[in-house]
Amino acid sequence: MTDTRARSAGRRTSTVWYRNIRVRRAIAQVVAVIGVITLGWWLFSNLVTNLNRLNINTDFGFLGRPTQFQIPYDEGFNPRSSVWSMVLVGVKNTFLAGSFGIILATVTGIVVGVSRLSSNWLVARIATLFVETLRNIPPLVVIIFFGFALFTFGPFPIITEADQYSFFGSDHNVLILSNTVWGIPSLIAEDGAGIFWIGVLFGFVAAGLVARWRTGVFDRTGRAHHRVILALGTFAILAFTGYLVAGDAYSLSWPALGESGRRIVGGLQLNWGFIAVTIGLGLYTASHIAEIIRGSILAVPKGQSEAANAIALSSFQRYRFVVLPQSLRIAVPPIINQYLNLMKNTSLGVAVAYAEITSLTLTSIGNGRPAPQSIVVLMGVYLAFSLTISFVLNAYNRRIQLVER
Amino acid sequence: MRSMKRLAVLVLGLTLVAAACGDDASGGGDLLADVVERGVVRCGVNDVLPGFGIVDDTGAFSGFDVELCRVVAAGVLGDADAVEFVGLTAGERFTALQSGEIDVLIRNTTWTATRDGQEGATFLFTTFYDGQGIMVPTATGFTSLEDLADANICVLQATTTELNLTAVFNARGIPFNPVGFADNNLLRPAYEEGQCEAWTSDVSQLTAFKATIEGEGGAAQTILPDVISKEPLGPLVRDGDSAWAQAVEWSVMATVQAWEFGIDSSNVAGYTSDDPNVKNFLGVDGFETGIGLPTDFVVQIISQVGNYEEIYNRNLIPIGLPLAGTPNDLWSNGGLMYVPPYR
C-alpha cells in the first residue's frame, strides 16, 4: 500500500501544468476578470456612443455651473450657487434625516422589542400592534401618512396663525408650531466656544483615565469600581469649568415670527418634510429593529437566565451582565442592515417635498443637467453613506463578538 | 470555488443587463419604420393634469395632449387607438425619451434652448401657447407678486416653472420659499390646506385646477394678473431621426390645417373642394409628399380624432380655457396657429 501511494504521489507531481488545479483556478479567475472588464467597457462605451449621438455631454463640468433654482428652507443657497454646492446641501439634509431617524428607530425599536417580551399583557399587545402595523406598510406610505396626518391635514395652524409658546412671563418663544415649519431655541457659538471645547476635550481624556484607574483598582482589590459615575463626574466638572472660563461660549437664539409673519427667524427651524421623513422612517425602521431585538433576546438559551437566577442576580443584573451582552452579538449585524435601509429610504422624502439628495438631483436633471453623470454622483453619495455606516458598525461588531482564545 | 461561482453569476448578471440595454434600445435611425412594424406608438403623457393628460379610475387616458398622441397614431398607423400611453412625472420625461422608452413626448413640455441643446430632444410644432401664472386662495387677498414676500410657493419639481419663479422673484428682490413636489397629486392638498400660500404653474394648469377645486366645493381661487413667462408647449422626439420627427410634426400640424380649411370630423368623409391645396391635403388623386405618411393620413386623423378646434373644445373649454382671441387661435383670427402650406 505504501508503495502505491508513493507512486501515485509521484505521478501527481509530474502532471502536465494545465491539469494542475491551482493553475486552472488562476486561469478561470483571469478569464472572469477580463470578461467583467470587457463587459464594463462595452457597457460604458455603448452609453458614451449613444449619448454622443444624441449630443448629450458626458463630462462633469456641469457641477461647477449655477443651478438657477432655490432650495426650500435653505437661506445660504441662492440660484447662483453651483450644482456641487447643491449636492452638499442634499448630503446635509439626507444626513440629518437619516441620523435622527436612526436615533429614533434605535430607541423606539429597543423599547418596543423589549416590551413585546413583557409579561404585562397590555404592554406586550400594544408593542405587537405597533410592530405588525408599521412593518407591513411600505415606507413611502408611512412617510406620506405622517406628512399628511401631522401637517397637511393635521392639527397645526398655518404659519401666519402659528401657535407660539413661551415660558410664563418671558418674551421669548420656546416653541412655534405651524403646518409647515416648527421653531425651537438653538445655541449660537460665541467667541469663547473654542475654550469651552478645549475644556470638553480635557474632560473627555480625564474621564477615560479615571475609568481606567478605577477598573485597575477593581481588578486588583475587588472593591466596587463606580467607574461610570466617577468618569461622568470628572467629565462634567471639567467641561463646566471650561464653560465658566470661556465666559460666553454659547448664547441662546429664540425662534420668532418674521416681519411678514410668514416665516420663522432665529432658533432652529424644522421643516415639515424633515419631521415627516424622520418620524416616518424612524418608526418604520423601529418596527423592524424591535423584531430583531426580540428575536435576539429569545435566542439566548434559557439556561443562561436560569444560571443567573441560580447565583441570585437581580433582574437588572441578569439582563445587564448575562442576557444583553449575548443578545447584542446576535442583534448587531441585522441592525446594521436596518440602518443602511433607513439611510437609503430617505430618498422617499421627495413625497413630502423634503430637499434631500435624490429630490435635488431629480430637480437638477429636470432642469437640463445630464442624467447619467448626475446619477453617478448620486450613487457615489449613497455609497459613501452606506460604506461609512457599515465600516463604523462592523468595527463595533468585531469588538463585541465572541473572541476565541 | 465559491468565489468563482460568484464571479460567474456576476458575469451572467452583467450580460443580461447589457443585453437589456443594447445599442438598439435607444432607437436607431429609423423609428418611423420601427413604429409601423410594431403597430403601436408609445407616447409619454402627463397622467395627473386635468384637461391635458389625466388617467381615470378605469385606467383610461384623456386630455388635449393625449388626443395629440392619438393624432400621431392615426396619422402614422391609421388607427387612433394604436397608442400605448406612458404616464410620466416632470422629472422622468426626458430620461424616458432619451432611453427610447417612448417614441414621442407630448406632456405639456416647454420648449427652451437648454432642453433643445442638452436633453437630446427635438421640439416640434408648438401646440399650445402658455405662460406662467400664480394662483392664490381668494381669501388671502393677495393681488400682486410683492404681496407674496416670504411666502411658501408650491411648484412642480424639475419644471421650467421652478426656474422662472426663482428668476422673477430674485430679479424683483422678493424673498420666497419654493416647495417642490414631484407631482400634482401631492401638491394640491398641500396648497388647499395652506401649507403653501401660492401655487405657480402654467396658466392653463392653474385654470384647470381652479375649476376642479372650485367645482369640488373648495375655496375660491384667484389667478394673479402677472404672467411671468412664455411657455410654448408641444411634442418632442429624440434628436437624430428627422423622418420620425417630420411624421409626428406633420400629423399634428394637419389638425390645424384642417381647422383652417374648415374640415372637421363631421364633414371629412366625402369632403370635396375645387381648391387644389385641399385636394392635396386630403390625398385625393394620390398626392404624395414623401414625408413617409400614408396618402390618406389626414382623413384618418380628422375622422378618428378631429381638427385642432374640436380637440381644444373637447378638452380645454370645459376647464375654462377660452380659445377665441388667445394666442392659440388661428393666425387668420389674430392667433399664432400658423402651419406651412400643404403642397
Side-chain angles (χ1 to χ4, degrees):
Chain A
M1 288 302 278
T2 348
D3 225 338
T4 339
R5 210 178 290 155
R7 230 186 298 144
S8 77
R11 239 196 344 260
R12 231 157 119 194
T13 46
S14 66
T15 319
V16 278
W17 63 271
Y18 57 83
R19 290 195 146 236
N20 186 327
I21 187 73
R22 288 180 142 195
V23 174
R24 289 191 150 200
R25 279 184 186 161
I27 290 174
Q29 297 276 2
V30 169
V31 168
V33 167
I34 291 175
V36 168
I37 291 175
T38 318
L39 257 171
W41 175 83
W42 178 66
L43 283 173
F44 180 75
S45 69
N46 190 16
L47 177 72
V48 171
T49 313
N50 277 321
L51 289 176
N52 283 340
R53 195 171 46 74
L54 290 168
N55 291 324
I56 298 176
N57 293 331
T58 46
D59 65 301
F60 283 83
F62 72 96
L63 284 173
R65 288 194 274 276
T67 56
Q68 300 188 326
F69 56 82
Q70 241 169 274
I71 297 180
Y73 302 107
D74 202 303
E75 285 167 18
F77 191 91
N78 65 52
R80 285 170 303 284
S81 306
S82 68
V83 174
W84 181 245
S85 57
M86 175 209 81
V87 170
L88 296 183
V89 172
V91 167
K92 183 190 79 183
N93 286 345
T94 296
F95 174 76
L96 285 177
S99 46
F100 281 97
I102 282 176
I103 294 171
L104 178 67
T106 312
V107 173
T108 319
I110 291 175
V111 170
V112 174
V114 173
S115 301
R116 281 205 73 180
L117 295 171
S118 167
S119 51
N120 182 320
W121 185 87
L122 187 64
V123 169
R125 285 294 148 359
I126 289 176
T128 308
L129 183 71
F130 175 90
V131 168
E132 291 304 335
T133 311
L134 276 165
R135 74 170 181 167
N136 289 311
I137 296 175
L140 177 62
V141 178
V142 177
I143 290 174
I144 294 181
F145 171 79
F146 279 103
F148 276 21
L150 268 181
F151 296 98
T152 308
F153 299 108
F156 303 109
I158 60 172
I159 181 80
T160 44
E161 298 157 15
D163 292 329
Q164 304 180 48
Y165 300 94
S166 55
F167 286 128
F168 185 72
S170 155
D171 300 339
H172 298 303
N173 294 313
V174 287
L175 186 63
I176 297 181
L177 296 179
S178 78
N179 67 354
T180 48
V181 59
W182 293 356
I184 57 172
S186 66
L187 293 171
I188 295 180
E190 301 284 352
D191 299 338
I195 302 176
F196 168 66
W197 279 103
I198 292 174
V200 169
L201 190 69
F202 269 116
F204 194 71
V205 172
L209 291 176
V210 167
R212 275 185 67 176
W213 165 57
R214 292 308 305 177
T215 311
V217 169
F218 172 74
D219 287 347
R220 278 196 312 277
T221 65
R223 284 207 309 257
H225 51 65
H226 298 306
R227 59 187 172 201
V228 174
I229 188 131
L230 284 173
L232 280 180
T234 313
F235 177 77
I237 290 168
L238 280 172
F240 188 64
T241 312
Y243 180 75
L244 289 183
V245 171
D248 52 344
Y250 281 92
S251 63
L252 270 173
S253 165
W254 304 98
L257 279 184
E259 204 182 326
S260 63
R262 282 196 283 271
R263 67 171 183 171
I264 295 177
V265 291
L268 187 65
Q269 293 134 36
L270 308 173
N271 65 69
W272 68 283
F274 168 76
I275 300 171
V277 171
T278 309
I279 296 184
L281 283 184
L283 293 186
Y284 171 78
T285 311
S287 68
H288 291 260
I289 291 184
E291 283 300 89
I292 293 170
I293 296 285
R294 182 177 75 103
S296 70
I297 291 176
L298 288 179
V300 175
K302 210 179 166 203
Q304 297 285 324
S305 294
E306 288 168 354
N309 283 335
I311 57 169
L313 294 187
S314 72
S315 152
F316 171 78
Q317 287 172 325
R318 189 177 76 230
Y319 264 97
R320 168 68 186 81
F321 297 110
V322 178
V323 178
L324 279 184
Q326 299 186 66
S327 61
L328 215 52
R329 283 188 194 126
I330 307 167
V332 165
I335 285 181
I336 298 176
N337 260 340
Q338 294 304 327
Y339 286 177
L340 293 177
N341 282 344
L342 190 147
M343 198 47 110
K344 289 181 286 186
N345 280 340
T346 53
S347 59
L348 301 170
V350 63
V352 283
Y354 183 55
E356 41 72 45
I357 183 71
T358 306
S359 162
L360 291 178
T361 304
L362 291 181
T363 302
S364 157
I365 291 174
N367 286 320
R369 312 294 159 209
Q373 294 96 305
S374 302
I375 297 293
V376 165
V377 173
L378 181 64
M379 292 198 299
V381 167
Y382 281 112
L383 198 63
F385 269 127
S386 295
L387 288 181
T388 311
I389 293 178
S390 325
F391 180 78
V392 172
L393 288 175
N394 280 329
Y396 175 69
N397 189 32
R398 271 194 300 279
R399 258 200 58 193
I400 62 161
Q401 286 306 314
L402 207 54
V403 183
E404 292 186 27
R405 296 193 173 91
Chain B
M1 283 315 274
R2 262 186 69 208
S3 64
M4 264 175 65
K5 245 185 213 164
R6 254 187 259 154
L7 267 179
V9 169
L10 186 67
V11 172
L12 188 69
L14 279 174
T15 319
L16 288 177
V17 171
C21 51
D23 300 72
D24 288 342
S26 51
D30 200 5
L31 188 53
L32 180 56
D34 289 351
V35 169
V36 171
E37 191 186 330
R38 197 194 308 139
V40 64
V41 175
R42 294 174 306 188
C43 191
V45 292
N46 203 328
D47 51 7
V48 287
L49 179 59
F52 284 85
I54 194 161
V55 65
D56 66 14
D57 302 343
T58 63
F61 284 81
S62 63
F64 183 80
D65 285 346
V66 167
E67 294 217 23
L68 290 177
C69 292
R70 289 166 47 77
V71 164
V72 173
V76 174
L77 302 169
D79 178 5
D81 293 326
V83 190
E84 184 186 311
F85 294 106
V86 181
L88 297 168
T89 67
E92 293 164 350
R93 54 186 161 180
F94 295 112
T95 317
L97 184 69
Q98 290 157 3
S99 66
E101 189 188 339
I102 53 174
D103 303 319
V104 55
L105 178 69
I106 313 186
R107 191 203 170 280
N108 49 293
T109 303
T110 305
W111 185 352
T112 70
T114 4
R115 284 178 172 175
D116 225 343
Q118 292 180 12
E119 301 288 6
T122 300
F123 283 82
L124 305 174
F125 182 74
T126 299
T127 52
F128 193 89
Y129 290 91
D130 213 334
Q132 183 176 345
I134 293 173
M135 177 163 77
V136 295
T138 311
T140 58
F142 294 139
T143 53
S144 72
L145 300 190
E146 278 71 18
D147 291 341
L148 289 168
D150 278 345
N152 290 314
I153 301 182
C154 272
V155 60
L156 272 192
Q157 233 184 12
T159 55
T160 49
T161 326
E162 199 174 11
L163 300 188
N164 292 330
L165 172 74
T166 311
V168 169
F169 274 64
N170 276 297
R172 298 203 192 176
I174 309 171
F176 73 106
N177 187 45
V179 185
F181 283 91
D183 77 51
N184 285 328
N185 282 340
L186 294 165
L187 189 154
R188 194 184 139 185
Y191 171 74
E192 284 197 78
E193 298 298 323
Q195 283 185 297
C196 323
E197 279 91 3
W199 180 351
T200 185
S201 188
D202 293 351
V203 172
S204 62
Q205 296 198 30
L206 293 180
T207 312
F209 280 108
K210 179 181 190 299
T212 325
I213 292 174
E214 289 173 351
E216 290 172 6
Q221 306 294 327
T222 303
I223 295 173
L224 299 184
D226 308 64
V227 173
I228 61 176
S229 72
K230 295 187 288 185
E231 307 284 339
L233 314 178
L236 50 159
V237 296
R238 274 187 297 284
D239 272 347
D241 189 344
S242 52
W244 173 244
Q246 286 171 359
V248 172
E249 186 155 45
W250 280 99
S251 297
V252 170
M253 290 194 302
T255 62
V256 178
Q257 185 63 66
W259 180 22
E260 190 179 334
F261 283 145
I263 306 171
D264 59 33
S265 56
S266 62
N267 65 12
V268 65
Y271 189 91
T272 49
S273 166
D274 293 334
D275 185 342
N277 282 331
V278 177
K279 282 184 173 171
N280 289 349
F281 184 60
L282 293 176
V284 183
D285 306 336
F287 179 77
E288 262 301 342
T289 53
I291 293 170
L293 291 169
T295 322
D296 67 337
F297 82 98
V298 173
V299 178
Q300 297 296 347
I301 290 172
I302 305 305
S303 61
Q304 294 185 39
V305 189
N307 69 25
Y308 185 92
E309 188 184 22
E310 289 178 282
I311 297 172
Y312 195 105
N313 288 345
R314 263 201 302 271
N315 296 290
L316 301 181
I317 296 289
I319 62 166
L321 286 170
L323 176 57
T326 69
N328 297 306
D329 208 343
L330 265 182
W331 63 281
S332 46
N333 300 335
L336 294 172
M337 283 299 156
Y338 183 105
V339 295
Y342 204 86
R343 67 169 87 90

